[in-house]
Amino acid sequence: MSGSVTIWALGAVLMFWAVGAYQRLGRLRAQAIAAFAPLDAQFGHYVALVKNNFAKGDSEYAPPAQAGLLGAALQFESSMAVARAYPLDVLVMRALETAHETLFTSWARVRSEPPDLAGDPLPVALQQQWEHIALDVGVARTEFNQRVHAYNAAIQQFPAVFLAWLFRLRPAHKVIDFA
């Protein structure tokens, strides 16, 4: 009789632990997903800045570097849309990083163009806006990466790793800085 009570008590404790651990993993995952929203909003400022300042004219006559910058911004916007749906997916976040890096490279290419009769290819005010956005993105990126780190650490701890395996909770990918 006492053996079955011990087994039931052990089963109850195990079940209580499993439910609590799963809720903790779910909470950490939700916090990581929620932390992507401010980062996404800040990333959107890059796209808006490029679209508002480089999409006005006829793209057929735009300098190649500016056309490339606009194309990179549109690609980055597309990658952001996918990342909004899957903010913890490793492949999606790597694609977003690649698009982000391409946008930064295109911006640097436009910035390094020699001035023409109309003046600098990038006015100082635009460069300052870009740098301000980069600071805001850095803050949001840090918060997102901290949440992802907490989630990744939780799913790799023993014995929660068994629940992560059981419910197919995969490690998330941090967003690296290209500034």
Side-chain angles (χ1 to χ4, degrees), residues 43-65:
F43 278 161
H45 291 137
Y46 283 133
V47 175
L49 181 70
V50 172
K51 280 184 169 181
N52 292 339
N53 292 288
F54 295 100
K56 295 176 184 171
D58 189 1
S59 62
E60 185 177 331
Y61 300 107

Side-chain angles (χ1 to χ4, degrees), residues 48-133:
L49 181 70
V50 172
K51 280 184 169 181
N52 292 339
N53 292 288
F54 295 100
K56 295 176 184 171
D58 189 1
S59 62
E60 185 177 331
Y61 300 107
Q66 289 183 5
L69 177 61
L70 185 59
L74 295 175
Q75 173 61 37
F76 185 57
E77 185 176 40
S78 296
S79 293
M80 284 174 21
V82 176
R84 260 181 237 115
Y86 305 102
L88 299 183
D89 187 88
V90 173
L91 296 178
V92 169
M93 294 310 284
R94 285 185 183 159
L96 181 66
E97 285 177 349
T98 301
H100 187 249
E101 184 178 13
T102 303
L103 180 65
F104 263 74
T105 303
S106 298
W107 181 267
R109 191 173 297 128
V110 169
R111 190 178 61 216
S112 67
E113 283 188 332
D116 59 9
L117 294 175
D120 287 333
L122 279 176
V124 174
L126 280 181
Q127 291 180 29
Q128 289 174 344
Q129 287 178 359
W130 185 270
E131 291 167 6
H132 180 71
I133 294 169

